[in-house]
Amino acid sequence: MKITDSAKVILEQILDQENKNCITFFTQGEGCQTRLCMDCIVVTDAMQNNGLYVDMSEETARLLEDITLDAEDGNLVITSMHSCGSSCSSCSGGCGGCQ
């Protein structure tokens, strides 16, 4: 996962408001119903990404390796650097693919 400087500003504000020092990412659901979730936690040591403490499982890190977290109009946005492949081929009913 890449965190842009503009996203970093928003995340730092969130951490400051929550009195936390680390962003943790995790997933809920399976397949095309998988959602990326974020929370704020306190840690004494964690991996850093663009100067921010970031915590996630190895599985979540693999899912996010081609993802960029950016900011647009004051909101966090996620963009993907890969196209939807076989992992979403079983979707029907407009799951949205790999957005």
Side-chain angles (χ1 to χ4, degrees):
M1 168 186 277
K2 177 184 178 195
I3 299 175
T4 66
D5 290 339
S6 54
K8 177 182 176 181
V9 170
I10 292 173
L11 292 171
E12 287 174 329
Q13 291 171 352
I14 292 169
L15 287 169
D16 202 38
Q17 291 171 359
E18 296 289 323
N19 200 27
K20 309 288 183 175
N21 69 343
C22 181
I23 299 292
T24 183
F25 293 97
F26 56 97
T27 58
Q28 290 182 334
E30 295 180 10
C32 290
Q33 301 302 316
T34 302
R35 295 182 302 161
L36 176 63
C37 303
M38 179 183 87
D39 201 359
C40 302
I41 60 174
V42 174
V43 298
T44 56
D45 188 33
M47 174 182 79
Q48 288 199 14
N49 186 325
N50 195 10
L52 293 172
Y53 284 122
V54 177
D55 181 63
M56 68 184 82
S57 70
E58 287 182 33
E59 179 182 352
T60 300
R62 279 192 303 277
L63 291 171
L64 299 180
E65 63 188 7
D66 292 329
I67 299 293
T68 298
L69 186 60
D70 201 358
E72 192 173 286
D73 298 325
N75 296 303
L76 293 173
V77 293
I78 297 172
T79 57
S80 175
M81 301 308 292
H82 68 280
S83 61
C84 190
S86 61
S87 63
C88 291
S89 63
S90 63
C91 288
S92 60
C95 75
C98 297
Q99 295 180 358

